[in-house]
Amino acid sequence: MNHEPARWETTKTHHPVPLPPAPLVPVQQPHLPDAQTIQLPDGRLITGYAIAPTKAPEPIPQRPAINPLAVNIALGGLGFAAACGGLMLLTTFIAALAAFIHQLITLAAVIFGGFIATQVLGTNRGTGGTVVNIRRAVFKRNNFRG
């Protein structure tokens, strides 16, 4: 036989404890004005409370969502960046144009210098030039007779 206690014997039962009642705080009723009765022109009577018109709260001045000074500074920065970019492109263009002109001048000097060099240092001296035949000349008393 098993000598362990049964399951229902080990279970503890908890009984709820009632809470003490909360102290009651007296609530003051708002003061209601006296009821007033109004007679309409057609003879009907209307009874009700007179309510003082409530004053509308003063509107809060709306501030712009973005400070105009900040917008001006941002737009100035964008304009400056755009101008700097354009100036950079302009200076790049001028530098490229100057390099191109320098290359053209160098090319012209090489071509013209080569042409001059072939004329002066060419191997065909006898062809294409002026032929001068020198004969025996007789010089008599500083007179040339040829």
Side-chain angles (χ1 to χ4, degrees):
M1 265 179 107
N2 193 354
H3 295 290
E4 293 182 21
R7 184 170 249 200
W8 58 84
E9 293 176 4
T10 60
T11 307
K12 293 183 180 178
T13 305
H14 294 281
H15 298 286
V17 178
L19 295 175
L24 295 175
V25 178
V27 177
Q28 293 181 354
Q29 295 293 330
H31 176 66
L32 296 176
D34 296 332
Q36 294 182 353
T37 303
I38 299 173
Q39 184 174 6
L40 297 177
D42 61 356
R44 291 182 294 164
L45 293 176
I46 297 178
T47 303
Y49 295 106
I51 300 174
T54 58
K55 184 178 178 184
E58 299 212 11
I60 299 171
Q62 294 291 329
R63 291 181 58 193
I66 299 174
N67 189 352
L69 180 63
V71 172
N72 290 340
I73 290 172
L75 289 177
L78 289 176
F80 183 73
C84 286
L87 289 176
M88 264 181 43
L89 289 177
L90 183 64
T91 54
T92 305
F93 175 74
I94 291 173
L97 185 63
F100 179 69
I101 292 172
H102 182 264
Q103 287 179 353
L104 284 179
I105 292 171
T106 305
L107 181 64
V110 167
I111 291 175
F112 185 70
F115 176 74
I116 297 296
T118 56
Q119 292 298 317
V120 172
L121 302 174
T123 56
N124 298 331
R125 289 188 186 202
T127 60
T130 304
V131 176
V132 178
N133 293 323
I134 300 176
R135 298 182 295 168
R136 277 186 168 181
V138 178
F139 290 92
K140 195 177 198 182
R141 292 186 192 164
N142 293 331
N143 290 332
F144 175 75
R145 293 181 187 172

